[in-house]
Amino acid sequence: MIEVKLSMKFTSREFSLKRMPSRRPMGVFGVKISTVTKRERSKVPYIVRQCLEEIERRGMEEVGIYRVSGVATDIQNLKAAFDTNHKDVSVMMSEMDVNAIAGTLKLYFRELPEPLFTDDLYPNFAEGITLSDSVAKESCMLNLLLSLPEPNLVTFLFLLDHLKRVAEKECVNKMSLHNLATVFGPTLLRPSEKDSKIPTNPTQPISMGDSWSLEVMSQVQVLLYFLQLETIPTPDSKRQSILFSTEV
């Protein structure tokens, strides 16, 4: 008879979501997005393009896409493959459950050392979304968005178009714009540990009235705002030239 003893440690969600910079010089997870795009000579990181391409190929009608968790071991295997520039990553993806691919994409954005919306601009986005005048809000939010570093801006616009296409299939996949904003808002906007109001003590109870919950709601509202905009105008059709560049 073999006796197996297991020990489990609970880590609360707000603690586990902290951004941790990579200790590895190479790889893509935990590495600045500008570093990755410069290394790849691309506009949008390869991992983002590959994951979105696979999800658009066979995950657009998957019920709860981005909300349903993928198998953790599959996600870790795919993460390792992208980090080591594995040549067979596309083959791996084609054989995996699409929810694991969606989970890998979310993990990539969660582990960025700085959020896609940047630590510097995050307070401004959080303030801009509270403006009551719709004209002033649109002007503020669009100006802030276009102030993002180019890799951040292009990657966000690339993802934004994809998420809108996912929402167009809401009657099948049950993922509305609000659902997608709830999933991706904190992932794209949550500030780095040093700037976050997330409690450092994981045993501390979280109530709906505390600053952390309000912060999360703000992050959801910022993303929902951009998802609900029909178009995002940019000077001289910059967005079109960037997104449809062969370098993307």
Side-chain angles (χ1 to χ4, degrees), residues 43-242:
K43 299 285 188 180
V44 176
Y46 175 73
I47 182 174
V48 176
R49 288 180 281 129
Q50 283 292 101
C51 288
L52 293 189
E53 181 179 318
E54 191 65 22
I55 291 167
E56 297 222 355
R57 187 174 73 83
R58 59 187 177 94
M60 301 296 276
E61 296 186 355
E62 184 80 14
V63 175
I65 187 68
Y66 290 119
R67 173 168 278 179
V68 175
S69 299
V71 177
T73 51
D74 284 348
I75 293 172
Q76 289 304 314
N77 288 339
L78 199 52
K79 173 184 177 180
F82 276 113
D83 266 341
T84 56
N85 195 24
H86 200 290
K87 294 179 180 179
D88 297 326
V89 67
S90 58
V91 176
M92 287 179 61
M93 293 174 70
S94 67
E95 298 172 349
M96 277 186 181
D97 175 55
V98 73
N99 290 308
I101 296 166
T104 303
L105 179 71
K106 290 187 296 181
L107 184 65
Y108 168 73
F109 284 118
R110 261 201 318 270
E111 292 195 356
L112 283 174
E114 182 180 50
L116 201 63
F117 278 58
T118 75
D119 286 326
D120 286 342
L121 292 178
Y122 172 71
N124 303 88
F125 279 110
E127 185 175 343
I129 198 64
T130 65
L131 294 174
S132 55
D133 184 283
S134 60
V135 176
K137 178 187 285 190
E138 181 170 334
S139 175
C140 175
M141 296 297 280
L142 288 176
N143 282 331
L144 285 171
L145 186 68
L146 297 177
S147 298
L148 290 173
E150 186 176 4
N152 302 55
L153 173 62
V154 180
T155 299
F156 174 66
L157 294 177
F158 199 72
L159 175 65
L160 189 71
D161 281 349
H162 165 74
L163 294 179
K164 287 182 177 182
R165 287 193 291 273
V166 171
E168 288 174 0
K169 304 272 189 179
E170 180 189 353
C171 61
V172 180
N173 61 35
K174 310 302 180 188
M175 293 301 289
S176 64
L177 290 177
H178 188 273
N179 286 341
L180 291 165
T182 301
V183 171
F184 276 94
T187 299
L188 300 180
L189 283 108
R190 191 190 72 260
S192 301
E193 185 177 344
K194 65 181 184 298
D195 299 312
S196 179
K197 297 175 184 175
I198 297 173
T200 55
N201 181 1
T203 61
Q204 199 170 37
I206 301 297
S207 66
M208 286 305 293
D210 63 24
S211 60
W212 182 78
S213 297
L214 293 174
E215 192 174 12
V216 169
M217 286 191 287
S218 174
Q219 293 158 7
V220 171
Q221 289 302 312
V222 169
L223 180 55
L224 183 60
Y225 181 81
F226 290 118
L227 282 168
Q228 290 175 332
L229 284 181
E230 288 188 17
T231 58
I232 296 182
T234 55
D236 303 319
S237 299
K238 178 184 178 184
R239 176 168 179 262
Q240 283 72 20
S241 65
I242 289 174

